[in-house]
């Protein structure tokens, strides 16, 4: 016992000497001589108390240990390192470890990384990662978990990061958890938009988003979307309202719940019933089993009312294991398209629940998805992933455009939006299995490029231009094995105030459903893009004012024409062309 105490005392004495003014001067001389970089910081607990004797380790991306230090009586540490990219890990008895990934250390510079260690039950919550993001074409507010054990204490130098010249000639890039919390404590946005061509999105829209994060880190968000007048039918406004919450759970995890309600009086079914109401309850929980295993489990409950009620309970599960060399193995199961993990609940607005009548009963699109994947980090922040999947889809809904005559409207399997001239029709059930290979590579710290190739089955139209009823046309669809490819750019363009999401997803001609259907994002097929441009830099305009443009299938590709029995040309399309544009003010 005495020997252990003596060793601990020697370590603390050495650490204190390393942080003395004499050692500081010597360290600067080493930095200047060897061209290395200086890494310093303070380790605290969740209450802000400096942690004496905490172990700080510097690890290469391939998990190789480079250097380590023990904090002094004030919780301080100091390390000299060669320029490069590292992971920083801090540990102490009875506290959860904290890790700072992908630290880039410059030559001859000094970088401060302060870290916070927390107990198992320390609070955490949703905090907006930025004041606004536009990766979601539907103008949703994105949330990011920031736990007290892993707050991002260092930020890369971008438009919102300040740098300070230090006395040793380097640059110090800093941010604090207090600044992060104050910036994301409360906020919101107001949007005015006009839409054309989107199913259930016609006319003008007023969107209000409010967020709040309390002092303990728990968070909530509310989003309301009300439409204005629409033609040709003078129906009452549609409404989409979503409310989300997050709370802390055991095993260093957290839980999210998002409740959404939709009321669309403009939608009508083929049996003459008008007005669709729907509700979606999405809940999920994440558990961290040490540093190796992550488990996401949750469910999606959907309910639709349209001349009857339809209810679907759709569970999902994802298990992820971290292996050596940055390898990540995962298994995922879901029965809900668009929800495979807890991150998918970041999208506050749920997809519009839609149902059609088949065989006298109201039915929604359902199915199941199983996937096994392996992902590995490559050069820089790049990631490559290979996945094997198996899907089953029941009652898949096919998109169409054009106004059907009353006599042409099918008695079942059909729902239309006459304000936009679009509709959904039920296709035949089918199953699919295939392989997906995806790649993503950041080109700057805020902009990424990527590509994806997938094989699988999709419903394909055998006709070029067929005449007949809609039921006859849908009966001619058959599943066939296909290939699909996607290329995309996603992120912010520095010093322009522009945020961009652009993609092109190609599939063979006459395909009307997606290859690897559970993987498809809101961007849809063919050329689509979402652009948000800050206007606050222009004279006379307030800060926080942005222009938003969302385009789907800009080139109007993939349309499959057919003639109704009355001679009118109608179209089936995997993603009909749609436009949404307007102004957003954030506060």
């Amino acid at each position: 016992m005495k020997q252990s105490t003596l060793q601990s005392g020697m370590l603390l004495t050495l650490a204190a000497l390393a942080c003395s003014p004499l050692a500081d001067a010597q360290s600067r001389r080493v930095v200047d001589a060897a061209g290395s970089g200086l890494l310093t910081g303070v380790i605290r607990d969740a209450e802000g108390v400096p942690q004496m004797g905490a172990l700080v380790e510097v690890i290469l991306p391939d998990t190789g240990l480079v250097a380590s230090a023990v904090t002094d009586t004030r919780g301080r540490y100091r390390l000299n390192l060669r320029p490069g990219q590292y992971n920083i890990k801090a540990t102490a008895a009875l506290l959860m470890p904290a890790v700072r990934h992908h630290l880039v250390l410059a030559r001859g510079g000094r970088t401060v990384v302060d870290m916070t260690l927390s107990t198992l039950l320390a609070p955490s919550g949703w905090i907006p990662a930025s004041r606004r993001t536009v990766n979601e074409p539907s103008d949703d507010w994105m949330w990011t978990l920031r736990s007290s054990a892993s707050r991002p204490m260092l930020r890369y130098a971008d438009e919102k990061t300040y740098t300070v010249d230090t006395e040793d000639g380097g640059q110090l890039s800093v941010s604090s958890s207090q600044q992060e919390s104050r910036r994301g404590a409360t906020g919101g946005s107001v949007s005015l938009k006009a839409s054309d061509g989107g199913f259930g999105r016609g006319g003008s829209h007023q969107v209000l988003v409010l967020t709040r994060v309390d002092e303990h880190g728990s968070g909530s968000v509310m989003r309301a979307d009300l439409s204005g007048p629409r033609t040709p039918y003078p129906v009452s406004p549609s409404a989409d309202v979503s409310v989300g919450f997050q709370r802390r759970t055991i095993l260093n995890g957290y839980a999210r719940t998002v409740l959404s309600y939709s009321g669309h009086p403009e939608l009508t079914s083929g049996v003459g019933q008008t007005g669709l109401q729907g509700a979606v309850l999405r809940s999920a929980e994440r558990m961290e089993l040490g540093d190796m295993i992550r488990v996401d489990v949750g469910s999606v409950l959907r309910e639709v009312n349209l001349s009857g009620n339809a209810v679907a309970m759709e569970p999902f599960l994802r298990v992820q294991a971290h292996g050596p060399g940055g390898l990540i193995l995962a298994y995922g199961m879901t029965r809900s398209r668009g929800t495979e993990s807890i991150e998918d609940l970041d999208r506050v607005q749920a997809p519009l629940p839609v149902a059609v009548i088949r065989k006298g009963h109201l039915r929604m699109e359902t199915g199941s998805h199983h996937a096994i994947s392996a992902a590995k980090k490559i050069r820089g922040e790049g990631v490559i992933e290979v996945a094997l999947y198996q899907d089953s889809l029941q009652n898949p809904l096919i998109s169409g455009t054009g106004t059907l005559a009353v006599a042409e409207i099918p008695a079942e399997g059909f729902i239309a939006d006459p304000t936009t001239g679009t509709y959904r029709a039920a296709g035949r059930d089918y199953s699919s299995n295939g392989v997906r290979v995806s790649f993503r590579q950041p080109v700057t710290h805020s902009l990424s490029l990527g590509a994806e190739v997938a094989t699988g089955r999709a419903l394909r139209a055998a006709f070029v231009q067929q005449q007949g009823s809609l039921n006859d046309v849908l009966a001619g669809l058959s599943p066939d094995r296909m290939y699909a490819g996607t290329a995309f750019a996603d992120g912010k363009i520095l010093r322009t105030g522009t945020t961009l999401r652009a993609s092109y997803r190609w599939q063979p001609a006459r395909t009307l459903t997606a290859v690897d259907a559970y993987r498809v994002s809101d961007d849809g097929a063919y050329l689509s893009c979402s652009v948000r441009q800050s206007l606050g830099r222009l004279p006379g305009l307030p800060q926080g004012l942005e222009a938003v443009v969302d385009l789907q299938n800009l080139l109007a590709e993939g349309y499959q024409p057919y003639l109704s029995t009355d001679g009118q040309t109608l179209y089936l399309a995997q993603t009909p062309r749609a436009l949404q544009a307007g102004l957003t003010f954030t506060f």
Side-chain angles (χ1 to χ4, degrees):
M1 183 69 180
K2 290 183 178 180
Q3 184 179 1
S4 177
T5 303
L6 180 60
Q7 291 175 347
S8 300
M10 292 176 65
L11 286 173
L12 293 175
T13 302
L14 291 174
L17 289 174
C19 296
S20 65
L22 178 60
D24 189 23
Q26 292 174 348
S27 297
R28 288 184 183 141
R29 286 196 295 270
V30 172
V31 171
D32 295 336
S36 61
L38 182 62
L39 175 66
T40 64
V42 178
I43 307 301
R44 299 181 177 89
D45 65 8
E47 302 298 327
V49 179
Q51 295 300 296
M52 179 182 66
L55 176 64
V56 179
E57 298 176 296
V58 180
I59 305 170
L60 288 173
D62 61 0
T63 70
L65 180 63
V66 176
S68 62
V70 177
T71 57
D72 63 8
T73 55
R74 297 183 181 180
R76 300 176 300 182
Y77 70 93
R78 180 185 299 270
L79 288 165
N80 290 313
L81 302 170
R82 294 181 179 273
Q85 180 175 302
Y86 302 100
N87 298 330
I88 312 300
K89 183 177 182 179
T91 57
L94 304 179
L95 295 173
M96 297 296 297
V99 180
R100 172 68 170 89
H101 294 286
H102 313 308
L103 168 67
V104 178
L105 192 64
R107 182 183 302 275
R110 178 189 177 195
T111 301
V112 175
V113 179
D114 296 335
M115 305 182 75
T116 302
L117 306 179
S118 67
T119 62
L120 191 62
L121 300 178
S124 67
W126 267 335
I127 296 177
S130 60
R131 288 197 60 82
R132 292 299 296 167
T133 61
V134 298
N135 291 341
E136 300 302 322
S138 55
D139 188 35
D140 293 329
W141 187 274
M142 297 290 289
W143 277 346
T144 301
L145 178 70
R146 304 292 181 92
S147 69
S148 57
S150 59
R151 289 187 180 119
M153 306 306 293
L154 180 140
R155 301 177 67 86
Y156 292 105
D158 59 12
E159 297 174 294
K160 297 182 179 179
T161 303
Y162 60 90
T163 58
V164 179
D165 293 330
T166 59
E167 57 185 2
D168 57 6
Q171 282 193 331
L172 178 64
S173 300
V174 297
S175 73
S176 71
S177 58
Q178 293 179 347
Q179 291 169 340
E180 294 286 335
S181 299
R182 286 198 302 269
R183 186 177 64 179
T186 54
S189 67
V190 177
S191 303
L192 298 176
K193 298 182 178 180
S195 301
D196 180 39
F199 182 81
R201 294 185 180 180
S204 61
H205 289 255
Q206 301 82 43
V207 183
L208 172 66
V209 178
L210 297 174
T211 63
R212 180 174 180 81
V213 178
D214 63 27
E215 61 182 357
H216 301 293
S218 60
S220 61
V221 65
M222 187 275 288
R223 182 185 190 276
D225 182 343
L226 300 178
S227 73
R230 287 166 296 181
T231 58
Y233 304 106
V235 295
S236 57
S238 66
D240 292 282
V241 180
S242 300
V243 180
F245 307 93
Q246 176 169 291
R247 60 182 177 84
R248 188 81 168 98
T249 61
I250 62 173
L251 295 179
N252 199 32
Y254 56 98
R256 292 181 183 172
T257 301
V258 181
L259 175 62
S260 303
Y261 165 80
S262 301
H264 286 264
E266 77 278 14
L267 301 183
T268 179
S269 69
V271 293
Q273 298 292 332
T274 302
L276 178 144
Q277 293 179 315
V280 181
L281 176 62
R282 295 173 290 160
S283 60
E285 182 173 346
R286 167 166 290 178
M287 294 169 285
E288 302 275 0
L289 307 179
D291 296 332
M292 301 292 294
I293 305 296
R294 171 181 292 175
V295 179
D296 290 356
V297 60
S299 64
V300 178
L301 175 63
R302 295 188 293 158
E303 190 272 340
V304 175
N305 181 277
L306 177 68
S307 68
N309 289 307
V311 179
M313 173 63 77
E314 301 168 328
F316 64 90
L317 169 70
R318 181 174 176 83
V319 180
Q320 184 173 291
H322 293 260
L327 180 66
I328 301 176
L329 302 177
Y331 164 75
M333 181 281 299
T334 183
R335 297 186 64 89
S336 176
R337 290 185 64 180
T339 309
E340 299 184 58
S341 68
I342 196 169
E343 278 87 1
D344 294 321
L345 272 67
D346 288 346
R347 186 186 301 111
V348 180
Q349 182 189 21
L352 176 65
V354 179
V356 297
I357 296 176
R358 300 193 78 174
K359 299 180 180 179
H361 298 281
L362 195 64
R363 300 179 185 274
M364 291 182 285
E365 182 181 81
T366 58
S368 63
H369 171 79
H370 299 267
I372 300 175
S373 64
K376 183 175 177 58
K377 294 182 179 180
I378 53 178
R379 179 181 178 183
E381 296 289 324
V383 176
I384 187 169
E385 180 183 32
V386 179
L388 305 177
Y389 73 91
Q390 182 178 42
D391 293 344
S392 174
L393 285 94
Q394 292 83 47
N395 203 46
L397 297 179
I398 311 298
S399 301
T401 63
T403 303
L404 288 167
V406 176
E408 297 295 318
I409 297 177
E412 293 188 343
F414 178 86
I415 184 170
D417 178 3
T419 65
T420 60
T422 58
Y423 58 85
R424 299 286 187 269
R428 61 181 294 182
D429 301 348
Y430 71 99
S431 60
S432 174
N433 59 76
V435 180
R436 179 183 69 250
V437 179
S438 60
F439 163 78
R440 185 183 186 96
Q441 177 65 56
V443 292
T444 70
H445 71 266
S446 61
L447 182 66
S448 297
L449 301 178
E452 183 174 290
V453 177
T455 66
R457 302 178 78 196
L459 287 183
R460 181 175 183 269
F463 58 87
V464 176
Q465 186 167 0
Q466 174 179 324
Q467 183 169 6
S469 67
L470 179 57
N471 285 334
D472 294 335
V473 172
L474 293 173
L477 304 182
S478 60
D480 198 0
R481 182 157 293 277
M482 303 285 182
Y483 292 87
T486 303
F488 67 87
D490 182 11
K492 293 183 177 181
I493 303 176
L494 295 179
R495 295 179 173 81
T496 64
T498 303
T499 307
L500 172 71
R501 166 75 186 186
S503 65
Y504 185 87
R505 177 161 59 87
W506 174 87
Q507 288 188 201
R510 299 200 292 276
T511 53
L512 294 174
T513 60
V515 173
D516 193 4
Y518 279 79
R519 177 71 169 182
V520 176
S521 67
D522 290 341
D523 292 336
Y526 307 106
L527 182 59
S528 300
C529 65
S530 177
V531 180
R532 182 183 297 269
Q533 176 62 55
S534 174
L535 303 178
R537 300 181 179 185
L538 299 178
L541 294 179
Q543 293 292 327
L545 183 64
E546 297 172 307
V548 180
V549 178
D550 175 29
L551 299 170
Q552 291 192 349
N553 196 359
L554 179 60
L555 303 179
E557 296 179 271
Y559 280 77
Q560 303 304 313
Y562 69 93
L563 295 177
S564 62
T565 54
D566 64 353
Q568 183 178 358
T569 301
L570 305 173
Y571 299 90
L572 295 178
Q574 183 182 155
T575 303
R577 182 168 58 180
L579 168 66
Q580 187 177 33
L583 295 175
T584 296
F585 179 73
T586 61
F587 54 89

